[in-house]
Each structure stands twice: as C-alpha cells, then as structure tokens.
Amino acid sequence: MSNEIQQASILTRTDVNGVAVLTIDNPPVNALSQALRNALVHHIREVGNDKCVEAVIITGTSGRFIAGADIKEFKGPILDPSLPDVLKAIEQLDKPVIAAVEGVALGGGAELALACHYRCATGDAKFGFPEVKLGIIPGAGGIPRLLRLVGPKITLDLVAGGRPIDCETAFAFGLVDKIIEQADKIGAAIEYALECVGKPLRRTSLLSVATFDADAFNVQCVAWRSRARGQASVIAAVDAVADSWDRGFAEADARCRLEFTRLRTSDQANALRHLFFAERQAQHVPGLDSVQAANIASVAVVGAGTMGRGIAVACLIAGYCTLLIDVDEEALRRAALAIGVAVEKTIKDKAGKSDKASQILSRLSTAQTLQDANNSDLIVEAVFEDIDVKSSVLTQIAMAAPPQATICTNTSYLDIDQLAGAVSSPERFIGLHFFAPAEIMRLVEVIRAKTSGEQAVATGLRFARSLSKIPVLAGVCDGFIVNRILAAYRREMEYLLEEGALPREIDAALERFGMAMGPFAVADLSGLDIAWARRKRLAPMRDPQERYVKIADQLCEMGRLGRKTGAGWYSYVDGTRQLDPLVEELVVNSSREKGITRQPISEAEIVDRAIGSMISEARKILAEGIALRASDIDLAITNGLGFPAWRGGPLYYADRMAENQG
Ligand code: CAA
C-alpha cells in the first residue's frame, strides 16, 4: 500500500508498508540548503508523531544522496535550523531511521548518514569528508560519530585527507551496514528497514570509541600535520580528532562545532571556496554551453614517452578504449609494462584496492602505425617537443583519423596556430596540455587555436572533465597560462640568484609560503631540458639588451638535467636531494661576471618578488585574453604550479593583499 503524501517538492514523503521514505530532490547535487534542512525537520517531526510509521528511510534522487552543505550559504550567517539540530532530531527519533545512500554522501551528507541508526548503500556510493578542502572541518557531529564507528585511525585519514571512500571500503570499515542493489534501491531499503524494526536503535553518539594503538595514532597525527603546508583546516582536523576521542560525545561535538564556526569565515576558507567555484565556472565557456561535444568512446595516444604513457593511463582509468601508437616496438613494450604498474598504483591509491587493474588494462592496445588510429574518436599527439616533428606527425594523424575525430596536441610551448597548419580540416584541432605525471596531475589546459571549431573546444573540455581532470581554456601564446607564468617566475628567481640568494634559500622561502615545492626543486623534478629547448628556440628573438641568466644553460650543458640524471640545481644520492657546492660556485661566478655585488636577500623579499612576478605575468595573460577570467588563472596556477590553494591563487591573493593595504 503506497500513500503519496507530498509531491514535487525538495523532500517527498512516500509511505510503504509502515515505512516512510523521505526522498530528497534538491538539484543539482541535493545540497543541504536551509530549505532542505527545514523540510527535513518538518518531516522528521511528522513521521515521529505518525503512529502508522514504524521506520523511516532518508534517500536522494538523481543518483545522489547528499553532496553536503550548500556552499553558497557559507558566506553569510548560518540560518536555522542548523545541521546539528537536524541531525539531533534524526538520531533522537524513537523509530529506526535508515540512510539509503546512492552516489555521493559528502560532508554534511555523510554526517547525516552517520546520524541515522543504520546505513545501507548501493555499490556506487561514495562517502567522504571533503571539508578540509573548503578550509573547514566537519562541524555537525561527524568527527565524534566517526570515532565511535570506525576508530581514530580511519577517522583521521578521512577527515584530514578529505578523500572519499567507495562503498566496499565503507562497508569494510563499518560505515555501511548493508550493500543493496542499485536497480531496486527503494525496495531493498524498505526490506532492510523492516528488518531493523524491533531491533534496539543504534544511536552512534551513544557508542564508545574502541581501543586503539595510541602510539601509532600519534605518529599518524605528526605525519598529517607535516603534510598541511600551512593549510589551517588540516591542522584543525588533526587537532579535532586527537582532542575528541577521549571526550564524551556532547563535549567533542561542541568543540568541533566551535572550530567549524571559527574556520568557516576565515581567509583560508574564503580562498578555498573561491577555487571551488572557479573550478565549476571554468567548465562554462561563454558561447559554448549550448554546443554539443562529440561522443568519445575510443582514444589514441601517439608517442609512448612519459607524457604519452601518463595520458594513456588517465584515459584507461576513465574507461576509454585506448590505443597507444609509437613506431618503436621496444618503446611500446616498455610503455605497456609501465602503464600496467601505473594503473595498479593509481587504482590502489584511489580506491584502496587493485583488483580492477586487469579489467582496465584489457582496454589498452598498441600499434606501430598511425593508420591504426582510423577508428579513434579523439587522438592526442604526445611526441617529441619539436615543431617539425609534431607537424609531420599531425599531418599523418589527420590523414589517418576519421574525418569527425578530434585531433589534439599535447605541446607545452609550441605555437598551436602554426601546428594547425599541418592538420587538414583544422577546425577539429585543439591543444590538450597535460602536466606530468599526467595520470596524477589534475590540470589540463585546453588550447583554442585561431582555427579551432566550437565543437572541438567543447569536446576537449568535456573529454578532460571525463578524465576527472580540471580543464581550463587558454588561448595561444608561448607557454599558454601555466608555463608562461612559470617562465616569468623562474626568470625572477634566477635574477635573485645573481643578486645574492642561493637555490636552497629561495626554495625554502617559497615552500614556507606554501608552494608545494620550491622552483629549483621543481625544475630538477620535471627536468631542465624542456625549458632549455625553449630558451634555445627563443634565443634568436631575444633582445640582446635583456638581462639573461646563463646558470640553467650551464647546468644543462654539463648534462645536469635534474633528478633523472642524478644532478641539476641539486645533486641526488639514492634519490635524496643534496646541496652541491658546484652550483653555488656557478651562481657566485655569474654574479661576479656581471659585476653584481651579492647582498643578503630576506625571505620576505624572495617571496614578494617570486609571487609578484607571477601576479604581473598573470595580469598580462588576462589583459591579452589568453585566459577568460582571473579565476581560471588562479585555478590553473594552484593546480599546475603548486601555488597554495588556501591562498586562492595569485590573482585572488593579489586582490586580498591590496584590500589589506588599502
Ligand atoms: N553546494 C552548492 N553548490 C554545489 C555544491 C554544494 N555542496 N556541490 C556542487 N554544487 C554545484 C556546483 O557549483 C555546480 O553548479 P553550476 O552547475 O552552477 O556550475 C553544480 O552543483 C554541479 O557541480 P559539479 O560540476 O561539481 O558536478 P559533478 O557532477 O562533477 O560533481 C559533486 C558533483 C561530486 C557533488 C561535486 O560537485 C562536489 O564534490 N561538490 C562538493 C561537495 C563538498 O565539498 N561537500 C562538502 C561541503 S562542506 C559540508 O558539507 C560541511 C557542512 O555540512 C557544514
């Protein structure tokens, strides 16, 4: 017997055999807006008073449970009812409340699921506490409830790391009580709810924290703190877990709420929210929202070097049939082995298991001729960074590919307008600039050449998104957004070398500012040769009056190309970075040759000049229309250059600095 009580609303109640099914329908992601919180309180009260209701299910529509708080509401004051009040009402209900989770249960959504007495979930469910990424910590009982359900070790990883876990892992951890079939989610959840009727209600807040290895936990706390790199929310998350496990629920809950409230309006939270919305906005390109992207089922990657392999791994993991093409049979063999290892590792890191690797790798095929790309929907050229080599390969790809295929180049610096000249029907040609390691780095610059058609650009954006990447549209210029800013930043750092600083001082200063790595350590990691090739290419155009620092060229001429050759700006013994007196000698010589008197340079000046160089290049890029919006540049630089996300990106940071000074 089914009784439809309320329809076409943010929350619908349907009663079936004494079970009230509350279905959330709050597009686009079922966020816990004030309206939804109100509706939940109203319905919880109603079902509590309804003698015909024996159990309650809370679930979501459109393949989602709840993606957390409505982030748009974070700017203003929190309006009643607060989420903790809603969750209290749910947990205190005197009949079983079951969360039936399909898709994402994130942040406040996961906290709501924990406040239910039982949880069932479909195989695609994902549970996560991404609050730290927004500069906050879970503040609606999530931490003390998690501690009681899964113990301090798992709580700490979930809350400080912010990465979601899949349904199987959640089940293994005890977050999910029953896995149900997706096809019959409601039917199975009702069956489970009826099983729960008559059982003692399991209120998570009343459970106790199981015993655990306190020493190992302390080591884990130290490790998380050291990874925070200035991000206050990560430190706050570690402190909250460490201070909560031995407190009563109410006390721990109040402490976490206080910390959440303090962080919510902090500068770091504002900056991280700016990037959250920047990431969503970057997908919307004026004039393209109504353009139909091409359907992509199969991808070919041309070139089995480091970039080609990484791109192939990303495509395979995203579910694409992937053809790797290289003329060199041995290179293909080595690439296939490396791809196997990378897929295993990526899957393990992502989902905590490696059993799907063989299935993923079954989508990989290899070929030695470009003609084999004749069935591919999208082809990414990732061959040697040389305009003639790339032009010749692109001409052949265009001849072999189906006429409707999208053709992409993965060049880091070359002139894509010039490369377009090598492609017949160049409206299907764009740049897709991946960053190394391509299977891990999330940024992809989608480069629109003068001749690129709207559909090709829309396809590039959607394709990159389908790889779980962050696409940012850029126009053609030397280095696009990220490498152009990187070149300006490096140039300024090399001036600092000549004026008195040493690589280790510059790296240390910028790492303390929050950069993932200092510029010289990064150069060693990514290899000095690509930037060297670029400098050689640009040498004929360089103004002879322009200040030019030769130290990087000298290192390259000595074969010191970075970590891969065991030496660059530093030397490496068994992979460990060491200072090298030879580099200091080159630096001091360079100052002497130019007649520059070396002076001590303060950390503040290093940071000011380094970040200032990024900001001024970013402004030029914006003024020239290479980037559509300031927020696109912020997104690209935080994800492509390791600029601290909690500072919001260079242009956001510059605005805040100006506000503070003004
Ligand atoms: N609040 C408000 N809007 C949100 C939102 C949220 N929590 N999550 C997503 N949106 C919006 C996006 O801005 C986007 O809007 P536009 O279409 O206008 O650009 C739209 O929903 C779709 O989002 P995506 O493009 O990201 O869609 P997707 O399908 O690729 O991903 C998702 C969906 C996995 C849910 C992803 O959006 C996501 O991760 N969202 C954030 C989840 C999150 O961080 N939750 C925790 C919030 S903090 C919290 O919950 C603590 C608390 O209770 C106080």
Side-chain angles (χ1 to χ4, degrees), residues 8-234:
S9 103
I10 203 166
L11 189 67
T12 310
R13 172 176 160 190
T14 308
D15 288 13
V16 183
N17 296 337
V19 179
V21 182
L22 305 183
T23 304
I24 297 166
D25 184 7
N26 189 20
V29 293
N30 290 343
L32 283 159
S33 59
Q34 189 206 12
L36 178 55
R37 297 197 301 274
N38 258 326
L40 276 163
V41 168
H42 168 79
H43 279 277
I44 292 295
R45 196 179 300 128
E46 264 197 5
V47 294
N49 292 333
D50 189 334
K51 297 224 163 18
C52 300
V53 173
E54 289 188 291
V56 182
I57 290 172
I58 301 180
T59 194
T61 51
S62 316
R64 290 200 167 106
F65 185 63
I66 300 168
D70 186 334
I71 298 169
K72 292 192 290 302
E73 288 182 0
F74 278 9
K75 263 195 195 155
I78 298 174
L79 301 172
D80 283 340
S82 72
L83 187 59
D85 286 346
V86 178
L87 302 199
K88 211 178 204 177
I90 291 173
E91 198 181 50
Q92 285 179 352
L93 211 64
D94 59 0
K95 35 191 105 177
V97 185
I98 291 96
V101 178
E102 181 185 13
V104 288
L106 298 175
E111 290 183 298
L112 187 145
L114 297 189
C116 295
H117 305 125
Y118 301 96
R119 285 155 293 282
C120 58
T122 59
D124 73 330
K126 284 200 164 42
F127 291 80
F129 298 84
E131 283 88 341
V132 284
K133 297 184 181 171
L134 291 164
I136 53 176
I137 62 166
I143 290 177
R145 283 201 177 90
L146 265 177
L147 282 165
R148 282 158 177 75
L149 269 179
V150 301
K153 180 181 183 305
I154 296 170
T155 301
L156 183 57
D157 285 342
L158 288 177
V159 171
R163 279 168 60 169
I165 49 171
D166 62 16
C167 178
E168 239 176 87
T169 312
F171 182 71
F173 287 172
L175 272 184
V176 168
D177 303 300
K178 191 177 175 76
I179 299 181
I180 55 171
E181 278 300 319
Q182 195 167 359
D184 181 30
K185 178 181 77 170
I186 299 299
I190 290 172
E191 200 175 305
Y192 180 54
L194 290 171
E195 278 172 33
C196 296
V197 174
K199 280 202 223 166
L201 293 180
R202 197 181 50 183
R203 293 192 171 101
T204 317
S205 64
L206 299 183
L207 304 175
S208 41
V209 178
T211 48
F212 63 99
D213 180 342
D215 290 339
F217 175 68
N218 288 338
V219 170
Q220 198 191 348
C221 288
V222 171
W224 273 114
R225 283 197 183 96
S226 71
R227 274 192 247 172
R229 288 196 292 114
Q231 188 161 331
S233 56
V234 176

